[in-house]
Amino acid sequence: MYNWPSIDIEHPFTSPNRQSPLIRSLFPCAQSTVESYVKKNLSTTGTPQEQLEAYTMRLDRIMHWRKILDNRFAGRPKDRVFCLQSLGRLLAAKYSGHAQSFDAFEWTLERLINCISENKPITFMFCFGGYKNHHSPAYPKVGWAEVFHLNFIISYLYPIIKDYDHGVILEYESEEISIQYNNVPQTQTDQYTKSFQQLLQLYHTKLKSKHPNLRLTFKFTLARDLYTSDAALYELIENKRVDYEKIFSALPPVEKAKWLQRAESNFMWEQGIKPYQKDRLSTAQQDEILRNARVSNEAFLEADYILRQSYFEDPYRVPIVGTWGCMPSAQPVSGWIHIKSTRLSLVDFWIGTGCLVNIQNGNGKDPSVGETILSDSQRIKLSPVLQRQDHTEPQLTDISSNFSTILCYDKKQ
C-alpha cells in the first residue's frame, strides 16, 4: 500500500554562499561585492546603454532592500539569515522549472520581511481553480493528484515550516465560482470542494502524526465568501467582458486558436449546465460558445482581483500559483511565485490525474518511485503502459473512491 504523506526532509536550506547572486547580494557584504552579484544576475542582451540602465535600476532596488533589511532586522542577524534563506528556497528554479521574475523576488521578500520581523505567522496562499477537470477520470472529486501535490508543496516549504517558531499557514484559495463559465454544474463542483476540504483535514492529521513538531496549519478559502456583493461582481464582469472581446478580436488567428483551445479543454458540452450536442453544432457555433466562455473567464479574473485586491495584496500573505498564472488577465502574477505541481510535473493538480512512476535507474542503481500528474493527453498517450495498483485505505476511500487504486507505469532513466 502506498505510504503517505511522503515528504522530502533531506534537502534543507541552501547555505548563504551557495545562494543565487541576487540572494547573496542581500547578505552583509561590501558595496563592491553587491555590485558584482547584481552584474552576475543580469542578462547580457541589449545595447551597452540598455545594459547599463538595467544594471543601475537593479542595483538601486537591491540597495533599497538592503537598507530595509538593515532596519527591520537590526540586532537580529539570525532572523535576517532565515528570511533570506527562505527567499532563496521559495525562488529556487528546481521547484518551478524556471527562474522566477524580479517582481516575484521583491513581492515575496517584502512579505517575508513583514512576517518575520514582526514575529507573525507566514501565510502561503495557493490560488487554484477549485474544481476537477471533467476530462480526468477522478472527476468530480479529489484523487491522487491532490495528494501528490500536497507532498510536493510541503516538501518545498519544509525547512521554513520546521525552523519558523511563529508558524506557517498554507491557505488554499478556491475560485470555483468561475467554473460556471465552463458550463460545469455547481453540484459537481461542490463535490470537489467538499472532498478537497476532507482531504486537507486527513492529510494534516497524518502529517502531524509523522512530524508532530511541524508548526503548520491548513486553511481553505472560497473566493465567493469574500465578496461583499455578488451583484457588484457580475456587473463588473460584464463591464470587463467588453474589454476582453476587443482583446480577442485583435488577436492574430494563431493566438485566437490558442484561446479557444484552452476554453475547449475546460468546457463541458454534454451533461453541462446547458447540455449541448456538440456533434450537431457547426465549427463556427462551437467557436462562438468557446469564445464566450474564455472571454467570461478572463473578465472574471480581472474583476475578481479588483474586488479582492486587499486580500491578494495582504502584506503578510505570500501568493503562489501554478500554470494558471499564464493567462492574459492575470496581471499581478508576474509578482507571484510559480511552482510545479510535483517534482516531475507542471500539470495543475485540479486538471490532471495522479500517477506513480517506477523509474528504472541504470548503472546498477536501485529503482526509485516518482510522483507525477498527467494531463488528459499524456494519460491517453501512456494508456498502453499504465497499470492500476489496488490501494485499501478506508480513511481515503471514504473521501473518494478514486483512492481505491493508483495509476502507475515503468520508465527507464
Side-chain angles (χ1 to χ4, degrees):
M1 188 169 71
Y2 173 71
N3 186 24
W4 69 284
S6 176
I7 63 171
D8 177 8
I9 62 174
E10 304 300 324
H11 292 86
F13 282 131
T14 302
S15 61
N17 63 352
R18 297 186 64 188
Q19 295 282 356
S20 71
L22 205 56
I23 303 294
R24 293 171 72 180
S25 72
L26 296 175
F27 283 92
C29 57
Q31 174 77 17
S32 60
T33 305
V34 175
E35 293 170 358
S36 173
Y37 286 146
V38 172
K39 286 180 181 178
K40 287 180 181 179
N41 179 255
L42 288 173
S43 169
T44 56
T45 60
T47 66
Q49 181 61 33
E50 289 171 338
Q51 291 182 39
L52 177 60
E53 290 174 357
Y55 165 74
T56 302
M57 290 176 61
R58 183 63 54 85
L59 181 61
D60 285 348
R61 295 305 299 165
I62 291 299
M63 296 309 297
H64 165 78
W65 287 112
R66 285 178 62 86
K67 289 179 181 177
I68 290 176
L69 287 162
D70 288 344
N71 179 52
R72 300 288 290 273
F73 293 112
R76 299 168 61 182
K78 289 185 178 179
D79 285 342
R80 178 175 182 156
V81 169
F82 176 76
C83 177
L84 297 179
Q85 286 184 311
S86 297
L87 180 65
R89 178 75 170 201
L90 294 171
L91 301 182
K94 68 179 288 186
Y95 297 102
S96 63
H98 59 80
Q100 303 283 356
S101 68
F102 188 70
D103 286 342
F105 170 91
E106 294 195 288
W107 189 292
T108 306
L109 175 58
E110 179 182 3
R111 282 149 181 78
L112 288 176
I113 290 173
N114 291 340
C115 294
I116 297 167
S117 67
E118 298 177 34
N119 298 328
K120 292 180 179 290
I122 305 171
T123 296
F124 295 101
M125 171 189 65
F126 194 98
C127 301
F128 77 119
Y131 64 96
K132 196 68 179 181
N133 186 281
H134 64 279
H135 293 297
S136 170
Y139 173 81
K141 295 186 176 182
V142 295
W144 289 108
E146 283 74 10
V147 173
F148 296 163
H149 159 76
L150 285 166
N151 288 340
F152 176 75
I153 197 168
I154 299 302
S155 300
Y156 168 57
L157 299 175
Y158 179 78
I160 302 173
I161 301 169
K162 180 177 71 71
D163 292 346
Y164 190 55
D165 292 338
H166 305 286
V168 167
I169 299 168
L170 179 54
E171 177 181 9
Y172 280 88
E173 186 265 333
S174 167
E175 297 176 1
E176 50 77 51
I177 189 172
S178 68
I179 195 61
Q180 61 184 293
Y181 297 117
N182 294 327
N183 204 36
V184 177
Q186 186 64 42
T187 53
Q188 303 297 83
T189 306
D190 289 344
Q191 289 189 58
Y192 183 81
T193 297
K194 181 179 179 181
S195 63
F196 189 87
Q197 290 176 297
Q198 291 173 326
L199 178 61
L200 281 185
Q201 293 172 356
L202 179 59
Y203 192 99
H204 187 258
T205 299
K206 291 180 73 71
L207 182 67
K208 293 291 284 186
S209 69
K210 282 190 172 185
H211 306 276
N213 295 323
L214 288 184
R215 291 173 286 272
L216 172 67
T217 302
F218 283 119
K219 183 178 179 181
F220 182 82
T221 299
L222 284 172
R224 67 168 67 244
D225 291 340
L226 302 182
Y227 302 122
T228 55
S229 167
D230 287 351
L233 170 67
Y234 290 115
E235 180 180 355
L236 188 53
I237 289 173
E238 286 304 308
N239 291 338
K240 292 299 176 182
R241 273 182 53 83
V242 176
D243 297 334
Y244 285 99
E245 289 282 8
K246 293 178 181 177
I247 291 172
F248 180 81
S249 297
L251 291 173
V254 172
E255 292 303 314
K256 284 182 179 178
K258 290 180 180 179
W259 273 50
L260 296 179
Q261 184 179 19
R262 180 149 187 168
E264 173 76 41
S265 68
N266 290 313
F267 196 83
M268 179 177 279
W269 294 99
E270 294 80 14
Q271 301 177 341
I273 298 171
K274 180 179 179 179
Y276 291 96
Q277 291 183 293
K278 185 181 177 184
D279 57 353
R280 294 190 178 183
L281 297 172
S282 67
T283 299
Q285 288 173 320
Q286 292 179 33
D287 286 352
E288 174 64 17
I289 292 168
L290 294 175
R291 179 198 58 75
N292 183 64
R294 181 62 190 271
V295 165
S296 296
N297 269 289
E298 295 295 331
F300 161 78
L301 289 172
E302 184 170 348
D304 175 56
Y305 193 86
I306 291 171
L307 294 177
R308 295 195 293 140
Q309 186 170 356
S310 61
Y311 169 81
F312 288 121
E313 298 183 5
D314 186 306
Y316 303 97
R317 184 178 276 122
V318 180
I320 303 175
V321 292
T323 57
W324 168 83
C326 300
M327 301 177 78
S329 57
Q331 303 298 336
V333 297
S334 64
W336 294 4
I337 300 169
H338 293 65
I339 65 168
K340 301 177 183 179
S341 282
T342 72
R343 184 176 64 86
L344 302 176
S345 180
L346 291 169
V347 178
D348 291 326
F349 64 84
W350 62 97
I351 298 295
T353 304
C355 182
L356 293 177
V357 186
N358 300 312
I359 302 171
Q360 310 299 316
N361 297 304
N363 301 322
K365 294 181 179 179
D366 292 334
S368 57
V369 178
E371 299 170 349
T372 192
I373 297 174
L374 303 177
S375 66
D376 188 50
S377 60
Q378 289 171 334
R379 180 177 54 81
I380 292 171
K381 183 178 180 180
L382 286 168
S383 58
V385 297
L386 289 177
Q387 302 175 35
R388 284 195 175 273
Q389 294 180 352
D390 290 335
H391 183 89
T392 304
E393 188 172 355
Q395 286 181 303
L396 272 177
T397 52
D398 285 348
I399 295 173
S400 171
S401 60
N402 293 323
F403 293 114
S404 61
T405 61
I406 308 179
L407 276 180
C408 60
Y409 73 98
D410 296 334
K411 179 181 180 181
K412 291 184 179 180
Q413 188 76 315

